[in-house]
Every structure is written in structure tokens, then in C-alpha cells.
């Protein structure tokens, strides 16, 4: 997706050896017009799939999922939660996920009421690296016997293992910008 | 807002003495078409304010803020973060907030780059009860010398102190559904 790659090159910042910071437009401040374009692009790439619900994980996935749902006839969005709150449904699908960014484990949870065998799911997330968060969502869909029709990612780190973990399960994966490697603090796309 | 109040009466569930659970359409599963109506209604109520940025707090506020921004010429959304991550900007505005829902304290943080004296802010959130989360956002705006033009809330618990805390500062507050009290496990609107 050309406009996204240009934006990453212009406003993204590479810190530490392999962290790309895009919080000026993607996951702290949100460029709403760009998100609309991203939603439209996901709809184009998954137009042949039968999708009735979009699944994502808090927090950065939520805005992307909602803007994508606009292009799937305003289908519902369900966002998986990361922590246990006092009012979290005790009847929830659960998956343990390791966050490499925050270097901790959390339990991804989704109330059973909002996911089931009748659902044809598009999973949306901002980043794909090791595939931990997407793996947690796939595990939750499996528990719910929901059908995963696709996984849509905004930025994929093509040199990490998340990609293979997903496509080896026969799942339709679309990433709008795939990073091949970093070179002198710059992003090089595949 | 009639359609919202009807939805709360139909799908909301009152648990414990004073907790309203609306996660079937507001803060776990998201009714995207309803959120579009909510965004349109906030735009109508704040049409006289000069707003160039929408501020919210993760996670439940994000989808509401983005759908509202659609009606403010796709202005940027900034979402305040609740936890410290490895890649969080160390140069951030910070405010300590007590969560009554989760019964813990957290530090609300917003990178300094995304909020400043040039900003005219609409704060959006899903619930207003004690006003703790909104209070944290107001504190962050104060540190940034940003101008708060209004606070837009989806569901206000009118019997708690959040309302007075905000309007006593001369801030334009709009709540789309105001709960007067709970009666036999039912919501009674003001």
C-alpha cells in the first residue's frame, strides 16, 4: 500500500535495532483519513471472503478494526481484552500471550457471548512480528469454533516468524507494508 | 440520544448495585453503525466549538473518538495510554488516575509531541462516573497548555461526582445518556 509505505518512511522512527515507532500516525496519535484508506484496502484484499465480524486486540487494533468494519457493511467489531477487570465476564475464551514489546505475559480474553461457530472472522492488527498476539486471537477463535477467513496486518516485520506461523495454517494473510530489514536506522520494504 | 437510551434499556445489564454492563455493543463488542450515530451526535452538540484534535484514553474510548473524528474533518485522535511500555516516549505528560472499575491506580501518559498549546481539544470517553479518567485527561491537557473545548461522554452516571467536577471548571460537558439511578436492576434515565 503505497501511501502507507511513504508515510512510514516519512514519519516512522527506528529505535533500538529492530523497533519501528509509528506513534505519530498509527498507535498513539491516529491519522483518521489514513485509517479510512487502510480499511478500504483491507476490504479490497478480503472482498472474496465471507466476513461477518472483525476481531482485534486492545488497544492499537481497535481503531483499525472499526475503520475496516465500515467497509464490511458496518459488521460488529469485537476486541479481545488483555487484563482481568472486575466486570470481565468469567465465561470467556482465554489464551496466554507473550508480549515481546512489553516483555511480559498476559491473558487475552473474549467473552463467549460474542464469538461462536456462526462467525466468519477477519482478524485485524497493527503489527505482525513474532505472531504472538495474532496467535492468541487464533487460539480464541479455535475455542469458539469460529471460522477465520483472514488476517489483515498494517505493518509486518517480514524477517520474523509471525508470517510463517499464520500461512502454514492455510490462513489468508494480507500485510499492507512488509519490512524486509532495517539498514542504518532506515526501513527497507520487501 | 434516543437510539442510545433504547439500546441501553434493551441490551444493558445491571450487575452489582451500580455497574452497568454494555459490552454487547459499547466496550467489548462494538456496534459500528451506532458508533457512527454517536459521532454524528457529538459533532452536532459541539458544532460551535473550535476543535482540531480529539483526546481519549485506551481502550474503550478509542473507537468512539475515531468515529467522532470522522465528523470533525478527520481531525487527529490521540489516545492516552495507561501503562508503561518499553517503547513509550519518556518525554510524556503524566497523570495518576484511580480506576474504580479495576480498583487500582495507573499512570495516564501522553507523549509531549502530540499535545500542545496550539490544540483545541474535545475529550471523548465511554463512561463518566467519578470523573477519574476525564480528570487525568484534563490534567494532561493542562500540562500541555492545550485548550479543552469540551468533554463528550456516552453514558454518565448522574448520581456520581464526575459531572460536577467537570462543569465546575467551566467546561462544556455533553453526555448522550444520563443515568439518574438504578431501580430493581433497571436503568432509570434522568
Amino acid at each position: 500500500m503505497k501511501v502507507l509505505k511513504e508515510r512510514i518512511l516519512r514519519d516512522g522512527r527506528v529505535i533500538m535495532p529492530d523497533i519501528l515507532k509509528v506513534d505519530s500516525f498509527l498507535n498513539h496519535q491516529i491519522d483518521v483519513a489514513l485509517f479510512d484508506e487502510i480499511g478500504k484496502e483491507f476490504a479490497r484484499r478480503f472482498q472474496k471472503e465471507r466476513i461477518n465480524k472483525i476481531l482485534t486486540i486492545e488497544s492499537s487494533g481497535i481503531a483499525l478494526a472499526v475503520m475496516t468494519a465500515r467497509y464490511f457493511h458496518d459488521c460488529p467489531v469485537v476486541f479481545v481484552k488483555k487484563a482481568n477487570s472486575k466486570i470481565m465476564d468469567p465465561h470467556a475464551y482465554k489464551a496466554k500471550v507473550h508480549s515481546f514489546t512489553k516483555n511480559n505475559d498476559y491473558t487475552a480474553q473474549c467473552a463467549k457471548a460474542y464469538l461462536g461457530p456462526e462467525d466468519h472472522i477477519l482478524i485485524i492488527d497493527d503489527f505482525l512480528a513474532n505472531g504472538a498476539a495474532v496467535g492468541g486471537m487464533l487460539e480464541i477463535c479455535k475455542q469458539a469454533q469460529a471460522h477465520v477467513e483472514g488476517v489483515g496486518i498494517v505493518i509486518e516485520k517480514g524477517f520474523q516468524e509471525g508470517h510463517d506461523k499464520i500461512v502454514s495454517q492455510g490462513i489468508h494473510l494480507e500485510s499492507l507494508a512488509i519490512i524486509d530489514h532495517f539498514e542504518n536506522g532506515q526501513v527497507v520494504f520487501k
Side-chain angles (χ1 to χ4, degrees), chain A residues 30-48:
Chain A
I30 291 170
D31 182 331
V32 176
L34 175 67
F35 276 40
D36 185 54
E37 289 300 316
I38 287 171
K40 197 186 291 177
E41 179 66 13
F42 280 135
R44 193 183 68 76
R45 296 194 185 202
F46 291 105
Q47 62 185 315
K48 288 185 182 165

Side-chain angles (χ1 to χ4, degrees), chain A residues 51-92:
Chain A
I51 287 157
N52 72 332
K53 197 171 276 183
I54 294 180
L55 190 73
T56 189
I57 188 160
E58 61 181 0
S59 292
S60 307
I62 297 172
L64 294 161
V66 168
M67 293 300 272
T68 302
R70 301 288 291 154
Y71 289 96
F72 286 91
H73 310 285
D74 283 346
C75 74
V77 167
V78 173
F79 65 90
V80 169
K81 301 195 175 193
K82 283 182 181 170
N84 227 320
S85 113
K86 212 165 78 181
I87 57 169
M88 184 70 203
D89 197 325
H91 306 287

Side-chain angles (χ1 to χ4, degrees), chain A residues 139-150:
Chain A
E139 166 62 26
I140 280 170
C141 286
K142 194 176 162 188
Q143 291 173 24
Q145 297 180 276
H147 309 270
V148 177
E149 303 295 346

